[in-house]
Amino acid sequence: MRLMGAACLAVLAMHGASPQRFRVTVEAVRVDVLVVDGKHTIGGLTAADFELRDSGVIQEIESVAFEEAPLSVMLALDTSASVQGLALTHLKQAASAVVDLLTPADRGALLTFSGALRLSCEWTSDRRALQSAIAHTEAEGATALHDAAYAALTLHDPELGRALVLIFSDGVDTVSWLSGARVVEIARRNEAVVYGVTLSSDGRRRPGYRLDFTSGIQAPIKDAPGATLLQPFLEGLAQDTGGKVMNTERSEQLREMFVQIVKEFRSRYLLTYTPRGVDTAGWHPLEVKLKRRSASVTARRGYLR
């Protein structure tokens, strides 16, 4: 286990020393896509069923993977003092249930955060190691949500699995050095899909990611394309990466939500294409839809290269 200070994350972000590139294989781009008809995911689709536009230009989809692709699941769990007691017990049960769903081909990692960040278990296919790290998790301190999200996105699996970042938090950020807007920008350079789970006793929406930082050095950034100033932080991350956020007022529902997220993520399509007719660098807005049937299609808004 190693402890990472928030100040180190801020320095890395400002100097560009961390791995923030949208990952590609040679020149190919991978896009995770969820296709839903009502409440049910749709299976059996092929490349011929999808239309994908990169910066408005139709692209040739070279391959489509469904359930056969291995997963790389990063669990980023808020273990601040407010999670002590029964909520922590339920959180551990939820995280443990995620590990139980991993196949021998999948890999996982555990990042816990309060005022500091701890990589409690590095990337591994050893489910016993992950379960042990979860069992030894304790709750104390403040909430460095932005810094934790940054770390979860940049500490990616060295093996090229389908990247899922599952972030749990029960409150707003209180001590991060990084602004929420800066982390959203990082997410646009990373191919991971972010799902968030929030535990809120009052059920209220949290303040926007441009407004909810309270401390630290704010790294200068330009307005990100498509940014919504009053959008809650985790919702901004999820929508930009093609994920979603689920909220509950009861910690005993965490297990069900965590399991639902992993099962849904495994039923997503992984589209691969080589960009043609578009600029190499800069912001690439993406649009994915079905050609011949009506369904809800969710994919990342775009990516930065």
Side-chain angles (χ1 to χ4, degrees), residues 51 84 205 267:
E51 179 180 290
Q84 289 178 340
R205 289 169 59 87
S267 66

Side-chain angles (χ1 to χ4, degrees), residues 165-178:
V165 174
L166 197 167
I167 302 175
F168 162 80
S169 182
D170 77 330
V172 298
D173 193 290
T174 57
V175 294
S176 283
W177 285 78
L178 296 176

Side-chain angles (χ1 to χ4, degrees), residues 21-30 160 273-275 305:
R21 292 183 299 172
F22 189 85
R23 281 200 295 173
V24 297
T25 305
V26 189
E27 291 298 325
V29 173
R30 310 193 316 165
L160 199 61
Y273 72 99
T274 301
R305 291 179 67 178

